[in-house]
Amino acid sequence: MFIQNFDSFPIHSLPLITQGAVIDAYTVTGVPAVLAAGAVLSAAAVACQGHLKVRSPIGSVCPLSLYFLHIAKSGERKTTVEELCLTGLRDFQNFHRSAAVKANVDFDVKHKIWEKKLRLIEKKLLTVQDDSEVSDIGDLLKSHLLARPQKCQGPTLFYSDTTIEALLHKLATEWPSAFLRSSEASLIMTGRAVKNLAFLNELWGAGTLEVNRRTGESFTVDDARCSLSLWCQPGAAQAFVAKGKGHARDVGFLARCLPSAPTSTQGYRQTTTHRMETKNLDNFTAITRQLLGKYLSDDGVLCTETTVLEFQADAAEEWRYFCNRVETQLVSGGYLSDIPDFASKIAENVVRIAGVFHAIEGKPGTLIDRETILSAIAVGHWYLGEFKRLFGAPQQLSEEFEGARLLEIWLRERSAQYPGQYAIRVSHIRTFGPNRLRNKKALDQALDQLCREDKLWIGIQNKQRFAVLSMNFFALPGTMQTQQFLPAPIQQFLPAPTF
């Protein structure tokens, strides 16, 4: 399957079931690959978070909830792809809500009978004189009050145009697992919810929240789970980040989010008469429904028991290695020194993603294996780079990084002008490419950076160097079968991978 993966999201590193769902979601909607992945991971997290937690290799236990912040312009089909991936969750919610309506018909009858008996007991209590008889009726009244019929609460998973107070009350009194979402996140970013980012931080960690009301009943939210998916346009995101002089960043809300601002695929989305099969996405939908079903017992009672996942020894070692790599980049002047807030949270997000992968892939037992944590690390590493790109200090971007972006834009424009020509002489780029890259050292640094991003590779033929473009990033619709344009044979070489 050919995918226009302009943003280098590590689809190839995803576990098979998750990967198949992402590819199907991309195929059907044509959205940027990272948006398809975000929609799949959001649905997966909500399906798992109610009955699963994960213990990190250092011993801390956290829920599988995930927060996503997707920044994209109108027309990217954000709502379409998310609704597609949330099918299993909506089916679960609608089914049990319908069942609750039917069950509550019986509740109404039972409650009227219960109230009738209550009045009779109270009336009898008023007429007795003997103390022992009063005590017996008191015991009967206590037993009757404990036997009060309970109204069946259908699950409410989805919240959008809401206040934090309403969300917390629902979590405390009805369904303890939620998905706060908006296809146009201005509904949340400009509403009252933005004033309560500290509450969202607590929900991310499934902490205990005491809600004291001046009027009305106070309540406690304990161990509730909430995932978050905000889809917004660049202007709304910029205003949100700047609101309150960076309040969202200062209180740590942004550090808990996995952000993306993908390259648009508009202009590349071609419709066909061929009926697209979505077997992988259908399988994913069935799995999310099955996982959600573990919230309820066979008789429809909410299950409160939580299973805690842990890590195999080799998986724990890979996680520690990743954490140490991140930590070494936080020193003064280090690559991640301008985003210490996000870097400090990425290790826990990786643990959560690994737990989600373990559940969705149907891995046996409660021990997360090395393959799963490596997939989660690849995803976490991508979001680490994306957060730096979006929120890092501009002055810390290296010249070769800026040169690589300039060269990538030029190569993309050239690919549109000469579709199918994927091998370009380096000398040609130096002569006709961006002025800033006419210098040999600057051009080599830019090429080296694009090689590390898997967007091209360098080959040699007849002592001439060629930049061979990856079709994942530079191919236009209808040009996927043009490999014959590549000079052959070309000896490939790649730079050593770096952090």
Side-chain angles (χ1 to χ4, degrees):
M1 172 61 198
F2 177 80
I3 293 181
Q4 295 280 8
N5 190 5
F6 295 141
D7 304 289
S8 303
F9 187 83
I11 296 176
H12 60 282
S13 297
L14 297 175
L16 289 179
I17 294 176
T18 307
Q19 183 185 93
V22 171
I23 292 174
D24 279 3
Y26 165 85
T27 304
V28 172
T29 63
V31 300
V34 63
L35 295 189
V40 168
L41 288 174
S42 292
V46 177
C48 300
Q49 67 185 11
H51 64 284
L52 290 175
K53 288 188 174 182
V54 59
R55 179 176 286 108
S56 75
I58 60 175
S60 59
V61 178
C62 59
L64 301 189
S65 307
L66 296 173
Y67 283 11
F68 287 92
L69 174 61
H70 304 292
I71 304 170
K73 295 181 179 180
S74 295
E76 291 294 351
R77 300 175 179 171
K78 303 184 293 291
T79 303
T80 303
V81 69
E82 189 166 58
E83 288 297 332
L84 186 66
C85 296
L86 293 175
T87 301
L89 278 64
R90 287 209 177 276
D91 289 348
F92 173 86
Q93 176 175 279
N94 294 338
F95 174 81
H96 285 283
R97 277 187 171 180
S98 298
V101 171
K102 295 177 181 177
N104 284 332
V105 174
D106 292 335
F107 163 81
D108 291 338
V109 175
K110 292 178 180 178
H111 192 262
K112 289 182 182 299
I113 295 173
W114 181 88
E115 286 182 325
K116 178 69 173 178
K117 290 182 177 180
L118 177 62
R119 287 192 294 269
L120 291 174
I121 295 173
E122 290 174 338
K123 185 177 180 180
K124 187 175 183 179
L125 184 62
L126 293 174
T127 60
V128 298
Q129 300 294 329
D130 186 78
D131 289 344
S132 61
E133 194 172 356
V134 169
S135 178
D136 291 342
I137 295 176
D139 291 340
L140 178 62
L141 178 60
K142 184 186 297 185
S143 299
H144 186 71
L145 291 174
L146 291 174
R148 181 197 297 267
Q150 298 297 316
K151 188 173 184 178
C152 184
Q153 297 289 353
T156 300
L157 290 173
F158 301 98
Y159 298 85
S160 53
D161 188 8
T162 186
T163 64
I164 289 296
E165 291 86 351
L167 172 64
L168 294 176
H169 188 263
K170 287 281 190 179
L171 288 171
T173 60
E174 295 184 11
W175 196 258
S177 178
F179 185 33
L180 184 60
R181 62 183 287 263
S182 176
S183 58
E184 295 296 337
S186 56
L187 293 175
I188 292 175
M189 290 183 170
T190 60
R192 292 181 62 191
V194 75
K195 301 177 182 178
N196 297 281
L197 297 180
F199 285 123
L200 292 175
N201 289 349
E202 287 295 326
L203 285 177
W204 186 77
T208 300
L209 290 167
E210 298 283 349
V211 181
N212 299 310
R213 290 177 168 176
R214 183 177 301 175
T215 59
E217 183 182 358
S218 299
F219 58 89
T220 300
V221 183
D222 185 33
D223 200 30
R225 325 291 167 77
C226 181
S227 285
L228 179 71
S229 178
L230 301 182
W231 302 68
C232 65
Q233 297 191 33
Q238 186 177 7
F240 175 66
V241 173
K243 187 182 289 290
K245 297 182 179 179
H247 179 62
R249 183 82 180 267
D250 292 341
V251 300
F253 174 72
L254 281 180
R256 290 166 169 78
C257 294
L258 299 171
S260 66
T263 304
S264 175
T265 55
Q266 294 185 43
Y268 295 86
R269 305 171 302 192
Q270 303 294 306
T271 60
T272 66
T273 57
H274 176 67
R275 184 180 180 276
M276 298 179 182
E277 294 187 356
T278 56
K279 293 181 180 179
N280 295 315
L281 189 57
D282 294 341
N283 183 38
F284 172 80
T285 296
I287 291 171
T288 57
R289 277 199 301 262
Q290 181 183 7
L291 289 171
L292 281 168
K294 295 183 179 181
Y295 288 178
L296 298 173
S297 63
D298 293 338
D299 55 357
V301 177
L302 185 66
C303 296
T304 58
E305 183 178 350
T306 300
T307 301
V308 179
L309 305 176
E310 299 188 32
F311 288 86
Q312 294 179 359
D314 55 350
E317 190 60 32
E318 292 290 351
W319 181 82
R320 290 191 189 95
Y321 178 64
F322 170 73
C323 293
N324 291 337
R325 289 169 63 197
V326 171
E327 185 66 25
T328 57
Q329 298 296 320
L330 292 177
V331 298
S332 178
Y335 180 69
L336 302 177
S337 60
D338 56 335
I339 55 168
D341 50 346
F342 185 81
S344 67
K345 291 287 188 282
I346 191 61
E348 182 171 337
N349 265 321
V350 164
V351 165
R352 294 171 182 232
I353 294 169
V356 171
F357 284 163
H358 180 88
I360 291 295
E361 301 298 314
K363 295 291 183 75
T366 59
L367 293 179
I368 298 172
D369 57 29
R370 180 175 178 269
E371 180 184 17
T372 301
I373 191 61
L374 287 177
S375 295
I377 287 172
V379 173
H381 189 273
W382 187 90
Y383 280 110
L384 193 63
E386 187 73 346
F387 191 94
K388 180 175 176 64
R389 182 176 74 87
L390 296 174
F391 305 114
Q395 65 271 19
Q396 292 198 6
L397 297 179
S398 63
E399 291 186 5
E400 55 262 37
F401 185 86
E402 293 180 354
R405 301 286 72 78
L406 192 64
L407 178 58
E408 182 179 352
I409 293 171
W410 184 84
L411 290 173
R412 200 177 300 284
E413 291 174 349
R414 189 184 187 282
S415 296
Q417 187 177 3
Y418 302 102
Q421 296 185 13
Y422 298 117
I424 308 171
R425 276 191 286 269
V426 173
S427 58
H428 178 86
I429 299 175
R430 187 176 176 187
T431 302
F432 298 101
N435 290 333
R436 181 173 168 179
L437 301 180
R438 301 289 171 87
N439 176 276
K440 183 179 184 302
K441 181 180 178 181
L443 178 58
D444 286 345
Q445 288 177 338
L447 289 169
D448 192 52
Q449 178 65 31
L450 292 180
C451 283
R452 290 190 175 93
E453 296 174 6
D454 293 330
K455 294 181 178 179
L456 58 79
W457 51 273
I458 303 297
I460 297 177
Q461 183 182 35
N462 298 329
K463 298 182 180 180
Q464 288 189 334
R465 290 198 304 160
F466 287 82
V468 184
L469 310 184
S470 168
M471 290 194 299
N472 282 342
F473 302 98
F474 296 103
L476 293 172
T479 64
M480 279 75 85
Q481 306 299 324
T482 53
Q483 288 279 18
Q484 64 268 25
F485 284 92
L486 302 180
I490 290 181
Q491 179 183 357
Q492 177 180 359
F493 68 90
L494 295 172
T498 60
F499 179 73

